[in-house]
């Protein structure tokens, strides 16, 4: 079992976990098994980002058809290949942000214990890709999970939360103590999953996401103020009337349905 402290320490030897790559290794096999079981589907390949020494990889192989893992660090890449011999595993030594995902045509799952320094760009790359993703399951810092899962009115509610709620059913799968990592980070983590809830329509999404971003442009300003450089007064008046919005409303008070209605009015 790779997810245990004795194995991790012995395999690392003189190497140290590299902060610049956000390296914190999972050392609790029960938790890793639970995450993998939730994340995978035996019919599909799972993409893993940042396999490290392979604690999660090993369990992903147990529940998936095969695993494609993308690792940026050559030391980890070599240790992983020594640690797991399974012909269903492909490991790519590359920064996931540079990975060419157009090679995939089949349905996939994604699972990762994400390096904290690059969590948001990796999630955006996945959300905006053309991949047929059946489920994305990621371990992130607790505060990032809260931000992604934020509801109307909360301080964390943002354009990103609206986009995510438009595309996915978001579920907090479990909270994870900092004690299950080596080295132990300063914050707790959470596992969060995203399951697509609609057919993708890229052309619509582009316009819709741009509108949502515009509405949130300056959080402290009213919706009217954020819209007035983009639309004429007549259009803004129609938005307010047809969507039944109060005069001083701000973007953070609007639901996904409100944004969709505004988009409909603007496009008409
Ligand atoms: N999956 C392992 C585990 O759970 O024990 C390691 C997780 S550790 C939090 C993050 C891993 O991502 C490290 O192995 C790190 O080298 C790798 N990594 C960091 N940035 C990356 C990137 N841009 N692309 C691919 N891998 C990356």
């Amino acid at each position: 079992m790779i997810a245990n402290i004795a194995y991790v320490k012995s395999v690392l030897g003189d190497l140290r976990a590299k902060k610049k790559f956000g390296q914190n290794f999972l050392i609790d096999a029960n938790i890793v098994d639970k995450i993998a079981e939730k994340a995978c589907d035996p019919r599909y390949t799972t993409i893993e980002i940042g396999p490290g020494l392979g604690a999660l990889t090993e369990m992903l192989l147990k529940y998936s058809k095969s695993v494609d893992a993308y690792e940026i660090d050559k030391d980890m890449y070599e240790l992983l290949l020594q640690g797991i011999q399974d012909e269903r595993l492909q490991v790519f030594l590359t920064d996931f942000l540079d990975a060419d995902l157009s090679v995939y045509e089949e349905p996939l799952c994604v699972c990762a214990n994400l390096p904290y320094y690059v969590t948001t760009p990796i999630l955006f790359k996945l959300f905006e890709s053309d991949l047929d993703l059946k489920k994305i399951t990621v371990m992130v810092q607790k505060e990032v999970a809260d931000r992604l899962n934020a509801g109307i009115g909360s301080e964390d509610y943002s354009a990103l939360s609206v986009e995510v709620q438009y595309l996915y059913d978001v579920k907090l799968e479990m909270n994870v103590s900092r004690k299950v990592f080596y080295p132990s980070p300063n914050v707790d983590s959470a596992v969060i999953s995203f399951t697509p809830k609609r057919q993708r329509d890229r052309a619509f999404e582009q316009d819709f996401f741009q509108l949502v971003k515009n509405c949130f442009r300056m959080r402290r300003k009213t919706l009217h103020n954020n819209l007035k450089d983009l639309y004429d007064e007549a259009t803004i008046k129609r938005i307010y009337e047809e969507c039944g919005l109060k005069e001083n409303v701000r973007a953070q008070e609007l639901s996904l349905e409100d944004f969709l209605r505004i988009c409909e009015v603007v496009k008409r």
Side-chain angles (χ1 to χ4, degrees):
M1 210 73 82
I2 295 177
N4 83 74
I5 185 69
Y7 178 88
V8 169
K9 281 189 171 170
S10 81
V11 157
L12 280 177
D14 291 338
L15 286 175
R16 284 177 178 267
K18 297 182 184 108
K19 270 201 180 145
K20 69 169 177 172
F21 290 141
Q23 290 176 354
N24 298 98
F25 304 105
L26 279 161
I27 50 168
D28 183 321
N30 284 327
I31 293 210
V32 180
D33 192 280
K34 270 192 207 143
I35 298 170
E37 191 178 10
K38 284 174 191 293
C40 303
D41 183 314
R43 291 171 296 173
Y44 306 135
T45 295
T46 299
I47 290 186
E48 184 185 6
I49 301 138
L53 298 169
L56 184 56
T57 321
E58 182 178 51
M59 302 291 186
L60 296 177
L61 282 162
K62 180 171 157 194
Y63 295 105
S64 310
K65 186 175 91 175
S66 57
V67 173
D68 280 7
Y70 292 82
E71 174 58 57
I72 199 171
D73 180 6
K74 192 159 184 285
D75 290 329
M76 291 302 124
Y77 171 82
E78 282 166 4
L79 291 174
L80 175 64
L81 290 179
Q82 286 166 28
I84 303 182
Q85 277 95 37
D86 187 322
E87 58 190 24
R88 296 175 303 127
L89 172 65
Q90 285 196 85
V91 189
F92 303 95
L93 178 57
T94 181
D95 180 337
F96 182 72
L97 294 177
D98 297 332
D100 174 14
L101 302 181
S102 68
V103 293
Y104 295 105
E105 286 175 2
E106 73 277 23
L108 299 160
C109 294
V110 171
C111 186
N113 170 15
L114 286 177
Y116 68 92
Y117 77 100
V118 76
T119 298
T120 310
I122 288 177
L123 286 175
F124 269 117
K125 174 159 179 156
L126 291 170
F127 295 157
E128 288 167 11
S129 76
D130 287 328
L131 296 177
D132 178 8
L133 297 177
K134 296 301 181 197
K135 192 169 182 185
I136 303 170
T137 307
V138 284
M139 170 105 73
V140 293
Q141 291 189 346
K142 181 78 180 70
E143 62 180 59
V144 177
D146 291 342
R147 207 169 343 122
L148 289 163
N149 211 2
I152 307 179
S154 96
E155 227 178 87
D156 289 330
Y157 189 57
S158 64
L160 178 62
S161 3
V162 177
E163 290 182 24
V164 165
Q165 283 165 27
Y166 172 76
L167 294 171
Y168 301 102
D169 283 318
V170 184
K171 186 170 168 206
L172 175 68
E173 299 281 359
M174 61 175 108
N175 289 313
V176 180
S177 156
R178 66 194 76 182
K179 292 190 192 127
V180 306
F181 300 95
Y182 175 80
S184 177
N186 295 326
V187 290
D188 289 325
S189 295
V191 176
I192 190 164
S193 69
F194 306 87
T195 314
K197 62 176 177 196
R198 57 181 89 235
Q199 282 283 342
R200 302 292 295 251
D201 175 348
R202 312 279 164 185
F204 172 78
E205 281 168 25
Q206 225 179 0
D207 294 345
F208 179 55
F209 294 164
Q210 193 52 54
L211 172 84
V212 175
K213 279 182 191 133
N214 289 336
C215 292
F216 275 98
R217 211 158 39 114
M218 280 174 279
R219 279 184 78 82
R220 287 174 194 285
K221 293 210 167 180
T222 61
L223 178 69
H224 186 278
N225 268 327
N226 277 333
L227 293 182
K228 75 177 183 204
D229 298 338
L230 303 158
Y231 307 109
D232 56 43
E233 275 303 321
T235 308
I236 297 181
K237 192 159 175 259
R238 267 199 303 124
I239 293 176
Y240 274 71
E241 277 173 11
E242 293 189 32
C243 301
L245 302 177
K246 58 179 196 269
E247 216 174 286
N248 56 352
V249 74
R250 286 166 214 273
Q252 50 269 44
E253 298 169 84
L254 300 177
S255 67
L256 171 61
E257 287 66 33
D258 290 325
F259 285 110
L260 286 167
R261 237 173 279 133
I262 296 173
C263 191
E264 213 180 283
V265 176
V266 170
K267 278 173 154 269
R268 226 184 293 133

